[in-house]
Amino acid sequence: MLQVSDVVPVACRAAADAGIRSVCVTNFSWDFIYAEYVVAAGNHHRSIVWQIAEDYSHCEFLLRLPGYCPMPAFRDVIDVPLVVRRLHKSRSEVRKELGIADAIKVVIFNFGGQPAGWELKREWLPDGWLCLVCGASDTQELPPNFIKLAKDAYTPDLMAASDCMLGKIGYGTVSEALAYKLPFVFVRRDYFNEEPFLRNMLEHYQCGIEMIRRDLLTGHWKPYLLRAITLQPCYDGPINGGEVAAHILQDTAVGKKYISGKLSGARRLRDAIVLGYQLQRAPGRDVGIPDWYSLSEKETGVRQALTYHDFNGSAESSFEDFEILHGDMQGLTDTMSFLKSLSGLAGNDPRSPEKQTRERTAASVLFDWEEEIYVARAPGRLDVMGGIADYSGSLVLQMPIREACHVAVQRSDPSKQKQWKHTQARQLANGGAVPVLQIVSFGSELSNRAPTFDMDLSDFMDGDKPISYDKAKEYFSLDPSQKWAAYVAGTIFVLMTELGVRFTDSMSILVSSSVPEGKGVSSSASVEVASMSAIAAAYGLNIAPRDLALLCQKVENRVVGAPCGVMDQMASACGEANKLLAMVCQPAEVKELVNIPTHIRFWGLDSGIRHSVGGTDYGSVRVGTYMGRKMIKCAASDLLSESLPSCVPTLSGDTNPEEYEEHGVDLLKSEASMEYLCNLPPHRYEAVYAKNIPEVITGDAFLEKYGDHNDVVTQVDPKRSYCVKAPTRHPIYENFRVEAFKSLLTAAKTDGQLSALGELTYQCHYSYNACGLGSDGTDRLVNLVQEIQHRKTSRAGGPSLFGAKITGGGSGGSVCVIGKNCLRSSEEILEIQRRYKAATGYLPIVFEGSSPGAGKFGYLKIRRRSA
C-alpha cells in the first residue's frame, strides 16, 4: 500500500503511524507558505511550522515539480519534469470550431475558471484581436470581440490555439504556458508565496510579462498584449512529468526503493538557506531581468555603462559625480550612500545581461541625469513617551532615529519625460502627452510589493477640482501590491486638495528608505515627510515643517486610511539630532526641544512582531478612547443643571446633580466641551467619571445611547464590542507621566532620577497592555530589561538599564529602553539581543543614535557633473 498526497502534512504523519509508505507531489509545501506569516505575526507561532515540517519528515520522498519553493523538511527529493495536460486537438482544429481565422490574434482570458466579475469592453483589445473568456457567468454580456467559452471547454487546447494568455500565476497555467510556448501576461497575486518562483521560471524562459493590476481593471491591455506577442518563449525541457511520476509511484507501490542520490543533506541545507533568504525578502532574488522597464522607442540611447556599485559604493561611483547646487549633506553617511546609489544608476545600462533587480532596472531609466534632481531626507522616530495618547492631545517625547528615508524628485515637461514603455503606450492611447507620475521604491522585494507605480496626474482631478478623499483612498486600494504608493503619491493629492497646488509637469520619484517597516519606528511617516519635502522643494513650495507634518498626517489618515495621530510626522519633520521633541498634540504644538542629558541613553529594540497602525487593535482602541471621551462630555453636560441642554442621557440612572455642586459650573462646562481627553486631570477623572465608564460596550449600544463618537478617521462597528475603560484611562494618565518624565530629565544626575524615569516607562508599558495593545515579544523584551535591572551583580555601581516600554501604536513593533550612557549598558543591550534570540529564534534590531529631522536637513538640489 502507498499513500500519495498533494502535500497534506497530517497525511504523512498518519501514514507513518499506520506503517504505510507515503509520497508527496508538489512544487510548494505548507511550512514554507506559513513561515512568512509566522515571521509577520511573531515567532511565538513557530511551533505550527515546526509541526508541519516534522510531519513532512515522515514522507519517504517528494516528487518535486519545476518552479519549486525551498522545501528542506523532506528527507529525499526526486525531480520530475513539467506536468501538463495533453492536447486533444490541433491549433487549426480549435480555431476552425470557433470560427477564427489563422491570421487573427487571439488572447485567452484565464483566471483559473473564476467568473470575470467586471464589465469587459471592446476597446480594451488591439484592433482585429479576439479574446476567449474562460469562466464567464451565464448572464454576463460580452462585446463582439470577446468570445464566451463553455464551462467544460478544454483549456489546454484553447491555450495552444491562442497567441498569448492573460491571467493569474498558478502551477497549472505556468507549466502549460511554458509547454505550449504561449506568452503569458500575468497579474501579481499578493502574498502568494509560491509566485516568485513560478514568475522567475516564466521570465527565465522569456515567457512572461507582468501587468499592473490597475491596468487590468481599467482595460489598459493593449501595450501588454502587443508586447507579449514579440516574446520568444524558449522552454525546451521535457513535459512528460505526469508519466514519469506515475511510473515512480507504480514502482514504489510494489516495493521498489527510490533514492535520488547521496546528496540529500546538501540539498536540504541549500533549501534551508534559500528559505531563510526568501523570508528575509532580500533584494535581488529574481532569476531573470525583464526588459519591460527599458527605455521606450523615443529614447536615442543609453550612456556607456559604468561599473555598478551598491549603496556602500566606492571611489569609482561616488556622490562627487553630482554637483550640489543647493543644500548640505551635513556629514550624514546615509545621504552620501544615497547619492552614490544615484551615481551608479546614472551609468547603468538596463539592457545589460548582468543580473539586476526589477527596481534597479526601472530606476536606471527614471531620471534625465542632465537635469536637476531634488533630494529630501526624513528620519524614523523612537517613541520615548506619549505613544497612542497623541490623538487624545497628550504631551509626547519623540527622538528622531539614525535610520531615514531619502526621496529624489525630478519634474519635467510631459513631452520630455523619460517614460516606461507601458506608460508611454497609455499616453499615446489617450491622445498625447499629459502629466505623468512615475515612482520606483527600492526594497520592494523586502515587502512583497510591486517595485514601481505610475499614474496620470489627471486621475486626481474631477473636472477643475481634485477628487474626494474617499475616491483617492479607493484608487490606491485597488491593487494591494501597489497600495504603498499612497504614502508617496498621496502627498501630491493632499497638496492639491489642501493648498490648491496644480501640477502641470510630469514627476519622477525614487524612494529609498533604511527605516524598517513594521517595527514601530514610523517608516510610513518618514516616507510621507521625505516625499512631500522633496516635492515641495522641486516645485518651490515654502511649507513650514509643522504645517508639512500636518499635511502628511492627512495623507495617512485620509488617503492611506490609517487612523494615526500626528506625532510621527512631527518628529520626522521637526525633530533634531540628540534631542527629544516635546510636543503637545493639540493638534501639533512644539513645546521645546529637550536636550538628552549626557549620562542618559535611549535604545530601540525590535521584537520581530510586525506592527501596523492600520491594524484592527489600534483602530478599536482609538474608537474606545473616543467613546470614553464622548461619555465623559455627556456626563459633564448632564451634571451642570437642568437649565443647560443635555446632549444625551446620563451615564447611569442614579446620577444626582446635587452630588457634584462642589465641582463648580465652570469646570463642568469646560469638561462638557472638552476637545482633548488629555486636558482632563487624573484626579478629576477618578473623582467624577471613572466609576461610570464601562469596561466594554457594544457598538450598537453605544450608537443607540450616544449617537456618535465624533472621530473623523474611525467608524463604530455596531456588530463588535469595544474596550472603553482602559483606552479612556490611558491617555489621561499618560499625559501626566510624560509631563513628569520631561521634568525629571532636568533633575539632579542620580540613580534615583533614572529609577523614576524607568518606572514611568514601565507604567506606560502595562497601560498599553491593559488596552489590548501588548504582544508576547514586547513583553519578553521588557521582562528581560527588568531581570537585568534587578539581578544581583558583583559589579559596583548598581544597574545600568532602568526601564522599557512598548512604543508607537503597540501590538508588536519595538520597545524603548532607557539606561545609563556607559559601556556596561551597551553590553547588556547585546545580552538582551542574545537572550531574546535564544528564546524566540529572532535577533532583535537595535536602534541607537539620532539624526536631524526633515526641516533641519532641508533639501539638496543636485545635477550630474558633465563627463
Side-chain angles (χ1 to χ4, degrees):
M1 182 179 292
L2 176 68
Q3 176 181 274
V4 181
S5 71
D6 183 10
V7 81
V8 179
V10 70
C12 301
R13 181 60 177 263
D17 290 346
I20 300 171
R21 302 170 72 188
S22 65
V23 175
C24 285
V25 185
T26 187
N27 67 304
F28 74 89
S29 59
W30 290 108
D31 52 343
F32 171 73
I33 298 298
Y34 289 139
E36 183 174 337
Y37 300 113
V38 171
V39 169
N43 285 278
H44 51 287
H45 294 306
R46 66 180 186 268
S47 60
I48 300 171
V49 175
W50 284 352
Q51 184 60 59
I52 293 174
E54 172 65 23
D55 289 348
Y56 284 146
S57 70
H58 294 280
C59 175
E60 183 166 329
F61 60 83
L62 165 70
L63 293 179
R64 187 169 63 177
L65 303 175
Y68 54 82
C69 304
M71 294 178 280
F74 291 94
R75 290 180 294 164
D76 207 355
V77 165
I78 300 174
D79 286 306
V80 298
L82 284 177
V83 175
V84 299
R85 291 174 287 181
R86 293 178 179 273
L87 295 180
H88 295 167
K89 298 176 182 178
S90 68
R91 173 187 173 94
S92 59
E93 288 175 328
V94 173
R95 286 190 169 231
K96 184 176 180 180
E97 288 180 1
L98 295 173
I100 301 173
D102 288 342
I104 299 294
K105 296 298 182 185
V106 175
V107 55
I108 181 168
F109 185 75
N110 182 11
F111 278 81
Q114 300 174 12
W118 64 86
E119 182 182 358
L120 301 170
K121 298 182 179 179
R122 180 172 188 165
E123 60 270 21
W124 291 4
L125 298 179
D127 292 340
W129 280 56
L130 292 176
C131 180
L132 307 180
V133 182
C134 300
S137 64
D138 294 335
T139 58
Q140 185 174 4
E141 295 184 4
L142 298 179
N145 53 347
F146 287 77
I147 299 174
K148 186 185 300 186
L149 297 172
K151 288 285 194 299
D152 59 351
Y154 190 59
T155 308
D157 287 348
L158 296 164
M159 290 173 61
S162 300
D163 297 285
C164 64
M165 177 167 59
L166 173 56
K168 64 180 181 180
I169 284 184
Y171 180 79
T173 51
V174 169
S175 63
E176 289 171 350
L178 291 171
Y180 308 138
K181 293 182 169 53
L182 180 68
F184 188 179
V185 180
F186 61 87
V187 181
R188 184 183 291 252
R189 296 172 69 178
D190 306 300
Y191 310 111
F192 182 56
N193 288 1
E194 63 175 305
E195 180 185 276
F197 301 90
L198 296 174
R199 186 177 72 227
N200 288 344
M201 186 165 64
L202 269 179
E203 292 170 350
H204 181 73
Y205 291 110
Q206 301 177 42
C207 195
I209 291 177
E210 180 180 345
M211 176 185 280
I212 298 170
R213 186 177 309 184
R214 186 178 71 253
D215 286 342
L216 171 74
L217 299 177
T218 57
H220 187 65
W221 295 6
K222 293 179 182 178
Y224 298 95
L225 300 180
L226 294 173
R227 172 69 175 162
I229 60 174
T230 68
L231 296 180
Q232 296 181 334
C234 59
Y235 180 79
D236 58 359
I239 58 173
N240 62 335
E243 291 85 347
V244 172
H247 179 73
I248 293 172
L249 292 175
Q250 283 180 335
D251 286 350
T252 304
V254 296
K256 183 175 180 179
K257 297 286 186 179
Y258 268 92
I259 301 297
S260 65
K262 299 180 180 180
L263 299 177
S264 62
R267 189 273 309 169
R268 296 174 75 181
L269 175 60
R270 184 200 64 191
D271 274 9
I273 293 171
V274 173
L275 172 61
Y277 183 72
Q278 176 75 6
L279 293 178
Q280 292 300 316
R281 284 288 184 262
R285 68 185 181 195
D286 286 353
V287 169
I289 309 301
D291 63 356
W292 184 236
Y293 292 106
S294 61
L295 291 173
S296 56
E297 296 293 331
K298 69 179 182 181
E299 298 295 336
T300 57
V302 183
R303 298 175 57 171
Q304 184 177 359
L306 300 176
T307 302
Y308 167 57
H309 298 279
D310 62 15
F311 276 20
N312 293 322
S314 74
E316 295 178 72
S317 179
S318 166
F319 63 87
E320 294 177 359
D321 289 345
F322 289 99
E323 180 183 3
I324 298 179
L325 306 174
H326 173 89
D328 180 6
M329 288 191 293
Q330 302 180 26
L332 293 165
T333 56
D334 61 341
T335 302
M336 296 178 190
S337 295
F338 179 70
L339 294 189
K340 289 177 185 177
S341 72
L342 288 180
S343 182
L345 291 172
N348 181 66
D349 185 347
R351 292 170 292 200
S352 167
E354 183 180 343
K355 289 185 179 181
Q356 305 176 61
T357 60
R358 294 163 179 239
E359 59 200 33
R360 179 173 171 76
T361 305
S364 64
V365 294
L366 185 65
F367 297 124
D368 182 343
W369 299 107
E370 308 305 323
E371 299 298 328
E372 296 169 352
I373 298 173
Y374 294 80
V375 176
R377 177 191 184 277
R381 65 96 189 97
L382 182 64
D383 168 34
V384 175
M385 288 292 286
I388 59 166
D390 62 343
Y391 55 71
S392 297
S394 177
L395 174 70
V396 297
L397 296 173
Q398 306 297 307
M399 184 181 81
I401 60 176
R402 181 176 56 191
E403 291 76 11
C405 174
H406 287 83
V407 172
V409 171
Q410 185 177 74
R411 55 186 292 190
S412 56
D413 184 279
S415 63
K416 298 179 180 178
Q417 183 190 27
K418 291 191 172 187
Q419 293 178 354
W420 301 318
K421 287 185 177 180
H422 66 280
T423 308
Q424 185 189 24
R426 185 174 67 241
Q427 278 210 336
L428 293 175
N430 292 338
V434 296
V436 168
L437 171 66
Q438 296 185 141
I439 306 172
V440 175
S441 172
F442 277 173
S444 60
E445 296 293 347
L446 292 166
S447 305
N448 198 22
R449 62 170 183 258
T452 63
F453 174 85
D454 64 272
M455 64 176 291
D456 296 342
L457 288 174
S458 58
D459 291 348
F460 280 153
M461 298 298 291
D462 181 9
D464 59 351
K465 62 181 181 180
I467 61 177
S468 68
Y469 275 114
D470 287 342
K471 287 185 178 178
K473 180 181 175 182
E474 181 182 359
Y475 181 91
F476 290 107
S477 299
L478 290 176
D479 186 348
S481 73
Q482 291 193 318
K483 189 175 181 180
W484 62 266
Y487 295 98
V488 183
T491 63
I492 298 172
F493 178 73
V494 168
L495 289 172
M496 295 169 68
T497 303
E498 301 297 328
L499 300 187
V501 181
R502 295 295 177 263
F503 296 95
T504 57
D505 287 340
S506 290
M507 200 180 313
S508 299
I509 300 178
L510 174 64
V511 181
S512 177
S513 182
S514 63
V515 186
E517 299 175 30
K519 307 301 184 185
V521 288
S522 299
S523 59
S524 60
S526 65
V527 170
E528 294 155 358
V529 171
S531 298
M532 189 174 287
S533 297
I535 292 166
Y539 286 84
L541 306 175
N542 186 17
I543 307 175
R546 174 190 178 274
D547 296 335
L548 187 138
L550 288 168
L551 291 170
C552 289
Q553 184 196 16
K554 285 188 178 293
V555 175
E556 190 128 8
N557 287 170
R558 306 297 301 278
V559 182
V560 177
C564 69
V566 74
M567 73 173 190
D568 296 356
Q569 290 80 7
M570 283 291 292
S572 187
C574 304
E576 292 188 16
N578 301 310
K579 295 181 180 179
L580 299 181
L581 180 74
M583 178 184 71
V584 178
C585 303
Q586 299 188 17
E589 310 307 323
V590 176
K591 199 168 183 178
E592 63 181 297
L593 289 159
V594 181
N595 287 311
I596 300 173
T598 56
H599 67 289
I600 293 177
R601 189 171 180 183
F602 298 102
W603 298 264
L605 282 173
D606 159 43
S607 67
I609 298 174
R610 189 174 180 86
H611 152 83
S612 170
V613 295
T616 303
D617 290 338
Y618 180 92
S620 64
V621 170
R622 176 165 175 151
V623 170
T625 303
Y626 275 83
M627 284 178 166
R629 187 192 68 162
K630 183 66 174 282
M631 293 174 180
I632 289 172
K633 289 176 67 175
C634 290
S637 178
D638 199 57
L639 290 171
L640 282 170
S641 69
E642 295 297 332
S643 63
L644 294 177
S646 177
C647 66
V648 293
T650 60
L651 281 168
S652 62
D654 59 354
T655 303
N656 180 7
E658 295 180 2
E659 180 183 344
Y660 299 100
E661 287 180 2
E662 61 185 275
H663 300 303
V665 170
D666 290 341
L667 190 55
L668 288 172
K669 281 183 177 179
S670 68
E671 291 166 355
S673 61
M674 177 176 58
E675 184 175 0
Y676 295 103
L677 194 54
C678 287
N679 290 337
L680 183 69
H683 76 273
R684 284 288 294 171
Y685 169 73
E686 296 293 349
V688 183
Y689 303 109
K691 64 182 179 182
N692 289 319
I693 300 291
E695 293 285 347
V696 178
I697 192 171
T698 61
D700 55 358
F702 175 85
L703 293 171
E704 181 180 354
K705 192 170 185 179
Y706 297 98
D708 189 19
H709 69 323
N710 303 126
D711 180 20
V712 297
V713 299
T714 59
Q715 293 181 335
V716 177
D717 182 353
K719 297 180 180 180
R720 71 169 298 173
S721 296
Y722 293 93
C723 179
V724 178
K725 192 153 197 168
T728 301
R729 188 179 190 275
H730 174 81
I732 295 170
Y733 277 85
E734 181 70 0
N735 186 57
F736 175 80
R737 286 190 288 264
V738 182
E739 292 279 7
F741 193 98
K742 177 175 170 293
S743 298
L744 279 167
L745 283 174
T746 58
K749 177 182 174 181
T750 64
D751 281 358
Q753 174 205 31
L754 282 163
S755 295
L757 289 167
E759 177 60 29
L760 291 170
T761 64
Y762 287 140
Q763 289 182 18
C764 171
H765 178 79
Y766 293 113
S767 185
Y768 262 76
N769 284 0
C771 293
L773 292 175
S775 73
D776 291 346
T778 49
D779 283 349
R780 184 182 294 276
L781 286 169
V782 170
N783 290 339
L784 286 170
V785 172
Q786 290 180 0
E787 287 180 25
I788 289 176
Q789 177 188 358
H790 297 300
R791 69 185 175 189
K792 294 181 179 180
T793 175
S794 58
R795 298 186 183 184
S800 62
L801 300 181
F802 288 86
K805 60 176 279 290
I806 196 170
T807 63
S811 298
S814 299
V815 301
C816 173
V817 181
I818 182 173
K820 288 181 180 179
N821 186 12
C822 63
L823 177 61
R824 183 149 64 93
S825 63
S826 297
E827 292 172 347
E828 290 175 347
I829 291 293
L830 293 175
E831 178 186 344
I832 290 172
Q833 272 189 296
R834 290 192 295 268
R835 291 176 62 181
Y836 189 85
K837 182 181 180 181
T840 68
Y842 179 81
L843 182 67
I845 297 172
V846 177
F847 300 100
E848 53 183 336
S850 184
S851 67
K856 197 73 174 176
F857 179 83
Y859 69 91
L860 302 178
K861 181 166 70 171
I862 63 173
R863 183 171 54 210
R864 187 169 174 80
R865 298 182 189 276
S866 300

